[in-house]
Amino acid sequence: MFDDITPLLRRLAPDLRGRLAANEPLAPLTWFRVGGPAQILFTPEDEADLAYALSRFPADLPVMPVGVGSNLIVRDGGVAGIVVRLRPRGFGEVTVAGTRITAGAVAPDKRVAEAAAAAGLGGLEFYHGIPGTIGGALTMNAGANGGETKDVLVEARAVARDGAVLTFTNAAMNFAYRKSDVGRPVIFTGAVFQGLPTDPAVIRERMDAVQHHRETVQPIREKTGGSTFKNPPGHSAWKLIDAAGCRGLRLGGAQVSEMHCNFLINTGTATAADIEALGEEVRRRVKETSGVELQWEIKRVGVSGKA
């Protein structure tokens, strides 16, 4: 267990309205259902509360946001410092005005796609197949089925570690393949997207195709974390993994999916260490057989062992 620093934080931020919980389990907040606790799990009431807290908390205290945990491994020892989890009330609204869609950071990607479709706005159909939230989409330049966040973003809103509330244009996000870089640690709180007027029937057809693809080629009903490794330039990660003989490979309670071998699965008894070690073994075998070094797409956080 980590030291309980909630009394200190309450003294430093006496007007805090959000919830602070010490040694809060994080495994239930991730799709893999593994990992240790957060030293402090902070759930702010709204953006102003988040900005106030970050301006008052010790500057050297680590702060990390967590969304729905769909692309995350929390190590078994847990996460030191503060884990921020935004909640739908305050950060989950989705609205449409003209051809633009405004969404809070915890709005599910799929809900944003649905809102755009209902308004007859195309271009965001790819979000229908991404099981995360807008905050994660901004951080990772989330994409699928030929579309990426960079293609539709107008601007993003965030709170910096010092509590400053900032707005970033698309260009300022410095998007690249599965990442963004605004030059400083921030917690995204919302975004504005640009849609294109499109026949609703065409939009629905595209979204149905995205959903069909997910259901037929991805293990979406398993305890998994989405695509494990980035596609190397000129290659498909799953093909390299398959060629390396890793389809169905097991380590402890972790397994490479038989359906899609760029997905790792918790078969029910896996630890975070099992999943990460299996991923490293896959990387080793792919490097040995193809010479290509796979890069993790899943974010791995925290410390090994038990806190």
Side-chain angles (χ1 to χ4, degrees):
M1 303 291 281
F2 294 106
D3 292 338
D4 182 359
I5 59 173
T6 53
L8 168 65
L9 299 179
R10 287 290 183 187
R11 285 197 302 270
L12 293 173
D15 296 325
L16 192 69
R17 291 175 286 121
R19 177 177 181 267
L20 297 172
N23 288 295
E24 189 77 4
L26 291 176
L29 306 184
T30 73
W31 282 34
F32 274 121
R33 297 295 191 266
V34 298
Q39 183 173 10
I40 298 293
L41 183 66
F42 172 43
T43 309
E45 282 290 319
D46 50 32
E47 186 181 79
D49 195 41
L50 173 62
Y52 170 73
L54 294 185
S55 72
R56 294 298 189 101
F57 291 164
D60 60 349
L61 189 64
V63 173
M64 184 191 79
V66 169
V68 293
S70 59
N71 199 240
L72 181 70
I73 296 173
V74 174
R75 295 186 175 111
D76 298 307
V79 179
I82 297 174
V83 173
V84 176
R85 191 165 195 249
L86 308 182
R87 59 183 182 176
R89 192 181 74 189
F91 299 95
E93 188 176 7
V94 179
T95 59
V96 179
T99 59
R100 292 193 169 180
I101 303 97
T102 300
V106 298
D109 299 330
K110 186 173 183 177
R111 184 177 164 211
V112 172
E114 292 282 2
L121 297 175
L124 286 84
E125 295 89 347
F126 69 93
Y127 273 145
H128 194 66
I130 300 176
T133 59
I134 291 302
L138 295 170
T139 301
M140 295 188 65
N141 185 24
N145 302 93
E148 292 183 301
T149 299
K150 70 176 181 62
D151 301 330
V152 292
L153 182 75
V154 176
E155 63 183 28
R157 189 175 173 94
V159 178
R161 180 60 184 86
D162 61 2
V165 178
L166 307 170
T167 299
F168 299 96
T169 65
N170 188 310
M173 293 289 288
N174 293 305
F175 284 123
Y177 178 61
R178 296 300 174 264
K179 67 177 181 179
S180 64
D181 181 8
V182 297
R184 61 193 295 188
V186 300
I187 296 176
F188 290 110
T189 56
V192 178
F193 301 97
Q194 181 67 57
L196 179 68
T198 306
D199 182 345
V202 172
I203 297 173
R204 179 53 58 184
E205 183 179 346
R206 293 172 183 167
M207 289 172 57
D208 288 346
V210 168
Q211 185 64 27
H212 177 73
H213 176 77
R214 281 197 71 222
E215 291 178 349
T216 55
V217 306
Q218 297 178 8
I220 60 176
R221 291 172 180 81
E222 304 283 357
K223 295 184 181 71
T224 185
S227 294
T228 305
F229 303 107
K230 300 176 183 179
N231 287 321
H235 296 279
S236 292
W238 78 264
K239 291 181 180 179
L240 294 171
I241 295 168
D242 205 15
C246 296
R247 185 181 293 269
L249 183 67
R250 288 177 175 260
L251 194 159
Q255 180 183 9
V256 176
S257 171
E258 295 272 7
M259 176 180 280
H260 191 312
C261 48
N262 196 25
F263 284 65
L264 302 183
I265 293 171
N266 174 5
T267 62
T269 60
T271 62
D274 288 342
I275 297 168
E276 188 168 10
L278 178 59
E280 288 299 326
E281 175 62 14
V282 169
R283 293 181 72 236
R284 186 192 70 78
R285 294 192 185 194
V286 168
K287 176 71 171 178
E288 185 178 76
T289 57
S290 69
V292 176
E293 188 167 344
L294 293 177
Q295 300 299 317
W296 284 88
E297 182 172 329
I298 288 178
K299 187 175 182 182
R300 297 157 295 144
V301 301
V303 294
S304 302
K306 294 187 177 180

